[in-house]
Amino acid sequence: MGDRSGIFAGDDPFAIARVWLAEAKRSEPNDPDAIALATVDAAGLPNVRMVLLKEIEEDAFVFYTNYESVKAREIAAAGRAAFVLHWKSLRRQIRVRGIVSREEGPQADAYFASRSLKSRLGAWASRQSQPLASRAALMAEVARMTAQHGVAPARPPYWGGFRLRPLEVEFWADGPFRLHDRFRWQRQSVAGDWSVTRLSP
């Protein structure tokens, strides 16, 4: 396990990530749970965008989106994705790479129900990543969905979660003179044992 101590100490990368995220929630001014999510298209050209990380489970990271979006289609095709959490307030980041599967059961229903009514109706109205004629057209669709679904819209069948089970997690913290601290956790499969390596800055 190398010379890990302080903020890097522990034998569970998910527990360390939860501690770091909790710290960021106290110091980061906006969206401490924002991740830059990377996928690749059929030609291998990368795409990256910001989404919100909604849960760090015992063995996975969970986020939600429209399954008809570009990101979701690319995830479905590749079965893999990567993301980075970066906090300027803490001068730390966490990089994650792994295998992705859908979460579209009761857990997705519960999260959808916890969102604001306007966000739930927006999920029905938006055909994410598809061409849009105008903002007015979008708002008209929101009004139509409001009339159709009322105050208790169910989760759309094309909207749900993704669970990323990592094969690699890297914890990075800023160091003086750019001599940063980096520890990479790796495993050969999502059921495998972790090995931890300190990396040069």
Side-chain angles (χ1 to χ4, degrees):
M1 292 292 184
D3 57 343
R4 291 184 301 110
S5 61
I7 62 172
F8 295 100
D11 57 5
D12 178 358
F14 302 100
I16 297 170
R18 282 191 290 271
V19 168
W20 283 28
L21 179 56
E23 289 183 57
K25 287 179 177 179
R26 295 190 293 270
S27 63
E28 198 71 10
N30 291 299
D31 295 330
D33 54 350
I35 60 176
L37 177 70
T39 57
V40 294
D41 68 13
L45 189 64
N47 261 319
V48 65
R49 76 290 284 163
M50 304 304 295
V51 301
L52 297 180
L53 178 67
K54 285 303 174 182
E55 190 169 358
I56 302 176
E57 298 180 331
E58 291 300 309
D59 68 342
F61 298 88
V62 179
F63 58 92
Y64 293 86
T65 192
N66 186 313
Y67 289 143
E68 296 175 355
S69 65
V70 169
K71 73 176 91 58
R73 293 197 304 269
E74 290 178 351
I75 288 171
R80 293 166 171 79
F83 71 79
V84 62
L85 276 159
H86 175 242
W87 302 294
K88 289 185 177 181
S89 62
L90 297 178
R91 303 177 74 87
R92 296 182 208 167
Q93 67 179 15
I94 303 174
R95 295 176 58 245
V96 178
R97 303 167 72 209
I99 309 301
V100 187
S101 60
R102 284 192 181 194
E103 167 48 62
E104 50 190 340
Q107 185 173 331
D109 292 336
Y111 171 65
F112 186 78
S114 76
R115 303 176 87 209
S116 72
L117 176 60
K118 288 183 179 180
S119 292
R120 284 177 281 158
L121 292 168
W124 276 101
S126 174
R127 295 297 179 255
Q128 197 171 96
S129 304
Q130 299 303 308
L132 178 64
S134 66
R135 178 87 184 172
L138 175 62
M139 298 316 294
E141 186 64 9
V142 170
R144 192 174 78 82
M145 290 296 104
T146 301
Q148 182 175 329
H149 294 285
V151 297
R155 179 174 61 85
Y158 51 80
W159 192 99
F162 281 109
R163 177 175 284 108
L164 192 156
R165 289 187 168 88
L167 299 174
E168 183 177 309
V169 181
E170 182 189 317
F171 296 92
W172 179 101
D174 183 69
F177 311 110
R178 299 189 180 273
L179 299 177
H180 313 304
D181 287 307
R182 298 173 62 191
F183 288 93
R184 182 180 61 205
W185 296 63
Q186 282 184 306
R187 57 186 179 178
Q188 296 303 307
S189 71
V190 294
D193 294 327
W194 292 103
S195 63
V196 185
T197 305
R198 176 186 272 275
L199 301 178
S200 295

